[in-house]
Amino acid sequence: MCVRNTKKNTMSYDRREDGLRSDGSKGHVLIADDAPFITKQLEKILTGEGYKIVGTVHDGEAAVDTYKEQYPDIDLVTLDVTMPKMDGITTLEQILAFDKDAHVVMITSYNSSGIIKRALMLGAKNVIIKPIKTEKALPRIISSVRK
């Protein structure tokens, strides 16, 4: 059931008393990464924890299009910084221009404080550095999911 949250003026989906969505998942996630092994790894981590993957895309343009098509039914986007057609920073900007309350976790192989700082200043909720390690990535993802 979709309800309006008047405090934030955004749409959100009802959660059950146990914190799960009405479909039983912890949240709906869109994965955007051009590396198939990373998307598979994220799918395995997230579905193993009870999240539902609502889409896997391989470029920034597809990420923006999919987010808009499925809005407001996406609780989190994992977004690679380096992708074809549109880089992750531009994709982040476009998703946040469409939905200022979007929850996005950036994924990058660059341990550059400049990229990390820029993503966080633009509105990313967290950053995960590749290679992805479940014990480090999962707490960052969990803390970033819309509650």
Side-chain angles (χ1 to χ4, degrees):
M1 170 190 225
C2 192
V3 296
R4 179 153 305 271
N5 178 340
T6 55
K7 288 184 181 178
K8 286 188 173 181
N9 197 26
T10 60
M11 300 297 283
S12 62
Y13 279 75
D14 285 336
R15 291 189 175 268
R16 302 183 323 206
E17 191 173 306
D18 60 6
L20 299 177
R21 290 177 55 112
S22 58
D23 67 0
S25 72
K26 289 183 179 178
H28 291 180
V29 181
L30 170 63
I31 298 172
D33 199 301
D34 62 328
F37 69 95
I38 295 292
T39 59
K40 293 291 182 197
Q41 184 180 17
L42 286 168
E43 286 175 358
K44 184 177 178 183
I45 291 168
L46 293 166
T47 57
E49 288 295 315
Y51 294 92
K52 180 178 178 184
I53 308 305
V54 295
T56 302
V57 297
H58 304 290
D59 65 72
E61 287 180 4
V64 172
D65 292 344
T66 302
Y67 190 87
K68 289 178 177 180
E69 289 168 8
Q70 295 197 28
Y71 176 84
D73 196 32
I74 294 177
D75 299 299
L76 181 75
V77 178
T78 64
L79 183 58
D80 188 16
V81 169
T82 306
M83 291 186 294
K85 295 188 181 180
M86 184 187 306
D87 67 79
I89 296 294
T90 304
T91 303
L92 172 67
E93 290 173 323
Q94 289 198 13
I95 288 173
L96 290 172
F98 175 77
D99 175 16
K100 67 178 179 56
D101 296 318
H103 289 235
V104 179
V105 173
M106 302 302 291
I107 310 284
T108 184
S109 57
Y110 303 108
N111 195 356
S112 164
S113 62
I115 291 172
I116 293 169
K117 187 175 181 180
R118 183 160 183 225
L120 293 171
M121 286 179 64
L122 286 170
K125 300 300 180 191
N126 224 316
V127 177
I128 296 170
I129 308 294
K130 294 176 187 176
I132 297 173
K133 296 183 177 158
T134 303
E135 64 276 3
K136 290 185 178 184
L138 196 54
R140 291 175 187 227
I141 289 169
I142 291 169
S143 71
S144 302
V145 174
R146 205 172 269 169
K147 303 257 183 209

